[in-house]
Amino acid sequence: MQLHGNVIGEGRPFIILHGFLGMGDNWKTLGKKISEQGFQVHLLDQRNHGRSPHSDEFSYEIMVSDLNAYCKTNDLRDCYLLGHSMGGKTAMLFAALHPDLIHHLIIADIGPKYYPLHHQDILDGLSALDFEHIKSRGNADKELSHYVPDVGVRMFLLKNLYWKEKGVLGLRMNLEALIKNANEIGVELPGEYSFDGPTLFLKGEKSNYILKEDETRIQRQFPNVLIKEISAAGHWLHAENPVDFLTEVLEFVNK
């Protein structure tokens, strides 16, 4: 399976992995700014997301295998790897299994611990979208609002809308496979896995994904780690405070 990637700029390889129900395009603005610092940025769609292939199989091991195949195909080594949420879990496991390919690792608002399933309302809302009757983004937003009251989250989800053909909307993600495998999203990075290279964990000030008590485990599995907080931001810290997020990332990779 060959992942879809949007490549921006020239220089050191910098891979960005989006979160659950996202896509590489969510990172286009930040990716462009990172590329201006001498990086070739690869905005990837993970399997069953965006424009990447669909499959019934879905796990972090499989997504790591996809990323490894992408690196081989594109001859990428000494990579700077950034992953947000689900993408962060993929990035952690990839770095542990392929440390020779990673120069710097950046994890955005996710820890190695287990997370219980908490996307059910979103998945129910997306499943309720009936594209035989929904013929506009506005109609989709109205229907989704019954399940997802937060406007920002709906805007993020509705970036998955596209015209399958004239007059027929659809979702780019493989919703059926993601619902079937939703329990895979929260699985922990097993305790025996670790990565000794330079690592940055960024957590949102208003997010509860990385708690103070989680930091001991992070430091054990990533002994060469910095843990920084992004102020005035929740789980979507790169969108809620992009200026501070970018500053921390660039300071870390340019040390």
Side-chain angles (χ1 to χ4, degrees):
M1 175 179 289
Q2 187 58 44
L3 297 178
H4 175 269
N6 181 15
V7 182
I8 306 171
E10 291 296 331
R12 297 168 284 172
F14 195 118
I15 298 168
I16 300 180
L17 301 177
H18 61 80
F20 186 51
L21 304 176
M23 62 182 82
D25 276 1
N26 301 147
W27 288 81
K28 196 178 280 182
T29 301
L30 272 171
K32 187 172 185 301
K33 288 180 176 171
I34 291 168
S35 76
E36 290 164 1
Q37 301 295 313
F39 292 98
Q40 183 183 69
V41 176
H42 296 254
L43 304 176
L44 301 190
D45 294 342
Q46 297 188 85
R47 75 165 52 204
N48 292 321
H49 290 78
R51 291 174 171 82
S52 279
H54 291 183
S55 163
D56 290 337
E57 297 179 300
F58 192 73
S59 69
Y60 286 113
E61 289 78 13
I62 287 169
M63 287 190 282
V64 163
S65 178
D66 292 342
L67 179 54
N68 191 38
Y70 182 89
C71 289
K72 282 184 176 174
T73 299
N74 294 279
D75 196 25
L76 302 182
R77 301 184 196 87
D78 286 330
C79 299
Y80 294 73
L81 177 60
L82 187 164
H84 171 243
S85 201
M86 177 191 81
K89 279 279 181 75
T90 305
M92 287 182 227
L93 183 58
F94 186 87
L97 294 176
H98 303 284
D100 52 311
L101 295 179
I102 300 302
H103 197 288
H104 281 56
L105 177 67
I106 303 156
I107 306 298
D109 211 58
I110 196 79
K113 69 180 181 182
Y114 166 77
Y115 290 84
L117 183 63
H118 55 281
H119 299 289
Q120 199 54 54
D121 288 349
I122 287 174
L123 293 173
D124 289 346
L126 292 171
S127 298
L129 297 177
D130 181 356
F131 292 115
E132 286 192 15
H133 299 103
I134 292 171
K135 298 299 178 186
S136 73
R137 187 173 294 272
N139 292 154
D141 183 54
K142 186 177 178 183
E143 182 63 35
L144 198 55
S145 70
H146 301 309
Y147 298 85
V148 184
D150 187 288
V151 177
V153 175
R154 290 203 308 277
M155 294 272 288
F156 162 76
L157 294 169
L158 291 173
K159 286 183 178 176
N160 285 283
L161 280 180
Y162 77 113
W163 294 104
K164 292 172 73 172
E165 55 187 82
K166 188 173 172 59
V168 181
L169 281 167
L171 294 170
R172 287 206 182 276
M173 84 236 334
N174 182 358
L175 188 59
E176 187 179 338
L178 296 177
I179 289 171
K180 190 179 90 173
N181 296 288
N183 286 322
E184 292 290 328
I185 304 303
V187 300
E188 69 174 344
L189 178 73
E192 67 269 21
Y193 287 117
S194 64
F195 173 68
D196 295 336
T199 305
L200 174 66
F201 273 70
L202 294 172
K203 60 179 186 175
E205 180 189 17
K206 299 176 183 175
S207 173
N208 62 0
Y209 273 68
I210 298 177
L211 305 173
K212 192 67 184 171
E213 57 263 34
D214 298 327
E215 294 186 12
T216 302
R217 175 173 180 167
I218 290 170
Q219 288 160 347
R220 186 175 72 248
Q221 291 185 264
F222 301 90
N224 191 5
V225 69
L226 281 169
I227 302 173
K228 296 284 194 79
E229 185 172 89
I230 302 297
S231 65
H235 184 54
W236 278 275
L237 62 180
H238 57 291
E240 294 170 59
N241 188 348
V243 173
D244 287 358
F245 184 88
L246 182 65
T247 297
E248 292 291 356
V249 168
L250 294 180
E251 188 176 300
F252 174 66
V253 298
N254 286 323
K255 273 184 179 172

